[in-house]
Structures are given as C-alpha cells and as structure tokens.
Amino acid sequence: MADFGEILRNIGDFGSFQKITLFALCFPNLILPFHFSSVFFIQSDPERHCNTDWILRADPNLTTDEQLNLTLPREEDGTFSRCRMFVPVDRNISYIREYGLNETTGCQNGWVYTNTMYTATIVTDFDLVCDQANLLEVAQAVLMAGILVGCLVFGPFAESFGRKRAAQIPVIVMLIFTVTTGLCPSFPLYLVSQFMLGIGYGGYRLNGVILATEWIGVSKRSWGSCVTQIFGAVGQCILAGMVYFIRDWRLAQLITAAPLVVVAIYIWFIPESARWLLGRGRTEEAKQLLLKVAAINKRTVPVSLLDKIVVKETEKKGGIIILMQSSVLRKYFLTIILAWFSLNVTYYCLSFNVGNFGLDIFLTQLMFGLTELPAHILCIWLLEALGRKVSLMGTLLAGGVLCMLILAFSQGNAVAVTTLATSGRFFINWAGSICNVYVQELFPTSFRQTASGLGSIASRAGGLLSPLLNMLAIFHWSIPIVVFSSLTLISGGLSFLLPETRRKELPDSTDEAEGNRNKRIVTKQNEPNTHLYRKSTKL
C-alpha cells in the first residue's frame, strides 16, 4: 500500500508545478501588508485646533492669528487648546474684541489640522482625536476581529468544499472591500468595510499556505510557509515606501486593489489539493490531477501506484472529534495554539506601535520588513538543520527576552527601544513561520485543516487583543510589554512538550500522529511496470 508521500515523490515533490503554484499562492502575501496602511500610518495625535470659522461671519477680514486669539482658550503652557473652543455668540466683532469670550465647549465643527506628516489619514478624515482618540484602537481591533472571523469561517469551509474554493473566495472579498474601504464617507462604514476586508485576509492567509504545502514533498515542505512569510516581509518594505511617497490612505487603498485584480483572475486556475480530493473519496479527480502534475514535472506514474493509495486515503475522517478523543493530540494542539496566540499578541503590539518608538515611522517600518526577510530565509535552512522543536523554543524564548529588555531603557532612548523591538520582532516572526509548518505536521489529514484553522483563530485572537492591550499603557507604559513578553516566554518553555517532526511524512491517521510519527521518508525504487500512464500537458 502506497501513501500519498510516495506518490508525490514519483510525480515530483518540488518540480515545476509546485514552484509555479507556490509563487502564485505566495504573491498575494506581497499585497496583504498594505491592508494595514490605514491603521499603521496615522500620526495619532496631530497638531490641530478647533474649526472656529463661525467668527468670520462677524468679520471676514480677520487674520488667522486674530481668529485663534479670539475663539480659542489657552492651556497652562500658553499654547492654544487642541480640544476646546469658546462657545460661539451672535455678537459683532467690536463686542467680542472688547469683552472677549469665556464659556468653553468641545469642538463643534471639526478640527483644522496643521503640520501633518500625511495628506490624509483616518485620524484627520474621521476626526479621531480628543474624546474620539480611542476609536483608533477600535479600528485596529475591528480589522483583527475580521481576520479572526475569516479563519473561523474559512477553516471549516475548506474541509467541506476544498482548499481551492477557500482560497479563491477570500481574494474576491478582499478586492471588493479594499475598494469600498478607500471610498468610505464615514467612520462606521469604514469599520464595516475593514471587518469584511479582514474576513478575506484571514481566509486567504489560512488556506493559501495550506494549499501550497499539501502539494510539496517532505524535503521542501517548510518552503510553503517560509516563502509565504518572505513575500509578506517584502510587502512590509514596499508598504513603507508606498506610504512615504503617497501619504494619502484612500489612494493607498485603491493602489492596493490594482494587483488584487490580477490575483482575482489567475486564482481560478490554481488546482485543488489532490490530498484533499483523495480524503473526500474523489479518487478519479485526484488521479487525473496527479497525472497532469506529473506531466508538468516531466514524470510518469505507474498505474499500480495510484491504485494503492485509494484505500488508505479514504480510510477515516473525524475532524474535531479526533482532538476530543486523543489526549496526545490535545496536548500538542493546546501547546501550539498558545505559542501562536502569544507570538501574535507580541507581533501586533509592536506593529501597532510602529510610530511610537521615537524614530522616523517610515524608517522603523522599513526596518521591520528588512529584519523579517533574513528571519524567514534562515527559517528554511534551520528547520532542517535544527528541527522544528528546538527552533520554536529558541525563537520564542529569544524574542521574549529581547522584548522584556525594553523595560531596562527609558522611553526617550529611541535607538535602544527601536533596536530591541525590531530584534524581538525578528525572532517572533521566525517563530510564526515555524508554527505554520509545525501545525501541519503534528496532525492527521482528517484534522489538519481544522487544526490549522483553530490555530489561526487563536493567533488572530491574539492580534485582536493587541490594540486593547496597548491601551493599558495609559496606566503605565510597561504593562503591555510585561504581558506580551511573559506570554512569549511561557509558550517557549511549553514548546518542550512537542515532538520533533523533521523529515517525517505528514501523518494520515491518528495512530501515526500519536505515535510520534515514526513514518520517515523511505526511498524506494519504483516497482517495474510495463503499463504507465502517459503524460498529459493539460491542466
């Protein structure tokens, strides 16, 4: 009886087909970071004063200085109030000059923004300042909530309807709501659009990497996750450059939609996962697809080899029931999702604070992206050299320690704080790539997608909580750092409970997953066959 891994080695486990598919599925990750532009580049506390043009009805020839002196109260340091104004009165300008105004109120007609870093942001367009300033964290949380819901919806969806559909639909959702976000006239509509955009984001991030990984053989399996992350890191760098030159969040949204149009076209030509087809009993479809893949990879497949896989792949489907029945798999699952949750809390707490470290926000964002690149490139090699377990423990513990060291420096030491934050984020990113690979190797085929989906839900829950955790800084700036650093250190220590999965085939049954999966690669000579399927170049 042959398993799917053996068939994959025969048709080519990392041939031309896998490389093309991997690139096609990874390319959207170049664009995904752009969706955070409206909540990253915001200048949360811009220079401003209340709009007091009401006084120009009394005297349209007032200079700007005269207008501000007559209509705005001053703070204790002598500067004009940024959130208060004098109550408008129906008097002539002589009366106002002679007697002045005393009663104050909040800004009634919006704000006038000065010396801003950007042409337009959600802060200036929707007036998220003064008593509305906390709505910025709400905007960040809503986007992360959408990503969480996307994982929750499209994880089970992929089990029932296939990896292909679960990757295609989110791309269309992202395209539609990327455009609507850029056109939103009000903040409530912006939140709805961002939530829907997040659903598409979460669904694609989850299923794109699964679809790519299930076509790649064991020797290159880590490429599926790591190359995806590399594209994301390049996207982070491009994001910094794009916003630096554009500086208008609406225009940035519309520019983001342009490459998504290309993705929305070619995504329909990506083939389904043959492993999923076999698991659903759709044997003939899987056979035809495997033959086409073999043809693209310039390989031939024996008839008997394809026939042998059928019984094993349709053996059993259990989904979440498997987790409830197996204490071993429960231990693995809880450990890996805690790690995933912790690293995402840390990652997004640092990312949402990109403008608060003291250095130029564009430089900091560029550093974030550039440091991600070596993390993911090194990950490909170190996962094979050191293994999954040691790599995950090491990166989580190192990231947690570096983030905790931020407490040793004052907030005014921008260079030290930025260096430690960037270094900690480097290891956290590294750990994220490892989790993406690890979660697919720990569980059997019938539970793999569900495990990945639930893991992604836990990770997105971490992202959802991160802006709320950052709000605790109003009590003391160290509270968020202590919390997310401690979570990372704890999850790094608990990773010791996980088994090593390096150079082992993906488990197809619960027994293989529970037995520490001693099913290693076995290189066999193909059985002599006089009857071979002929190659077909159609896909």
Side-chain angles (χ1 to χ4, degrees), residues 229-304:
Q229 301 282 46
I230 288 171
F231 272 74
V234 174
Q236 295 274 5
C237 298
I238 297 174
L239 171 62
M242 181 183 76
V243 178
Y244 179 81
F245 288 106
I246 295 174
R247 307 210 179 199
D248 185 325
W249 75 276
R250 294 185 186 274
L251 181 57
Q253 289 292 135
L254 299 178
I255 289 175
T256 301
L260 278 176
V261 173
V262 178
V263 178
I265 294 172
Y266 77 66
I267 196 71
W268 297 95
F269 299 95
I270 301 294
E272 183 56 270
S273 164
R275 190 186 290 270
W276 179 82
L277 289 172
L278 289 167
R280 301 295 292 184
R282 294 162 62 174
T283 309
E284 289 305 315
E285 289 181 60
K287 283 184 179 180
Q288 293 302 314
L289 188 53
L290 288 168
L291 290 173
K292 293 173 183 177
V293 172
I296 293 173
N297 289 342
K298 297 180 170 55
R299 306 286 281 271
T300 54
V301 188
V303 177
S304 59

Side-chain angles (χ1 to χ4, degrees), residues 324-339:
M324 293 188 288
Q325 292 175 339
S326 172
S327 59
V328 175
L329 295 187
R330 274 201 308 275
K331 178 180 70 175
Y332 296 166
F333 178 72
L334 294 174
T335 302
I336 198 72
I337 66 167
L338 176 62

Side-chain angles (χ1 to χ4, degrees), residues 186-385:
S186 66
F187 187 63
L189 287 177
Y190 168 81
L191 292 180
V192 172
S193 189
Q194 281 289 88
F195 181 78
M196 296 302 299
L197 174 60
I199 290 176
Y201 182 109
Y204 186 81
R205 273 302 294 265
L206 171 63
N207 292 294
V209 66
I210 297 290
L211 181 55
T213 302
E214 290 195 344
W215 274 113
I216 299 174
V218 64
S219 62
K220 301 290 185 181
R221 190 183 302 128
S222 59
W223 284 60
S225 170
C226 295
V227 174
T228 296
Q229 301 282 46
I230 288 171
F231 272 74
V234 174
Q236 295 274 5
C237 298
I238 297 174
L239 171 62
M242 181 183 76
V243 178
Y244 179 81
F245 288 106
I246 295 174
R247 307 210 179 199
D248 185 325
W249 75 276
R250 294 185 186 274
L251 181 57
Q253 289 292 135
L254 299 178
I255 289 175
T256 301
L260 278 176
V261 173
V262 178
V263 178
I265 294 172
Y266 77 66
I267 196 71
W268 297 95
F269 299 95
I270 301 294
E272 183 56 270
S273 164
R275 190 186 290 270
W276 179 82
L277 289 172
L278 289 167
R280 301 295 292 184
R282 294 162 62 174
T283 309
E284 289 305 315
E285 289 181 60
K287 283 184 179 180
Q288 293 302 314
L289 188 53
L290 288 168
L291 290 173
K292 293 173 183 177
V293 172
I296 293 173
N297 289 342
K298 297 180 170 55
R299 306 286 281 271
T300 54
V301 188
V303 177
S304 59
L305 196 60
L306 286 178
D307 291 338
K308 288 177 181 178
I309 197 173
V310 178
V311 175
K312 185 164 187 175
E313 290 295 331
T314 58
E315 181 184 36
K316 181 181 179 181
K317 295 185 281 288
I320 194 68
I321 297 173
I322 292 175
L323 189 65
M324 293 188 288
Q325 292 175 339
S326 172
S327 59
V328 175
L329 295 187
R330 274 201 308 275
K331 178 180 70 175
Y332 296 166
F333 178 72
L334 294 174
T335 302
I336 198 72
I337 66 167
L338 176 62
W340 224 342
F341 173 84
S342 302
L343 68 89
N344 269 271
V345 170
T346 305
Y347 180 91
Y348 284 107
C349 277
L350 294 174
S351 295
F352 286 133
N353 268 318
V354 65
N356 299 327
F357 292 129
L359 294 182
D360 179 78
I361 185 172
F362 303 107
L363 176 61
T364 305
Q365 178 63 36
L366 181 62
M367 289 170 58
F368 276 3
L370 289 176
T371 53
E372 285 188 24
L373 282 172
H376 302 314
I377 293 171
L378 282 171
C379 185
I380 297 174
W381 173 71
L382 284 174
L383 279 175
E384 301 304 323

Side-chain angles (χ1 to χ4, degrees), residues 8 12-22 215-216 293 297:
L8 203 55
D13 60 359
F14 198 64
S16 299
F17 168 80
Q18 282 87 352
K19 292 171 184 175
I20 294 169
T21 303
L22 180 61
W215 274 113
I216 299 174
V293 172
N297 289 342

Side-chain angles (χ1 to χ4, degrees), residues 48-61:
R48 64 189 180 276
H49 60 77
C50 296
N51 182 352
T52 58
D53 286 348
W54 65 269
I55 200 172
L56 296 180
R57 294 194 301 270
D59 185 353
N61 297 317

Side-chain angles (χ1 to χ4, degrees), residues 48-57 67-68 71-72 81-88 105-113 127 129:
R48 64 189 180 276
H49 60 77
C50 296
N51 182 352
T52 58
D53 286 348
W54 65 269
I55 200 172
L56 296 180
R57 294 194 301 270
Q67 178 181 344
L68 298 182
T71 58
L72 296 178
S81 173
R82 289 150 50 114
C83 297
R84 306 289 293 177
M85 61 181 282
F86 289 121
V87 175
T105 184
C107 296
Q108 297 180 350
N109 300 300
W111 283 260
V112 175
Y113 298 94
D127 290 331
V129 293

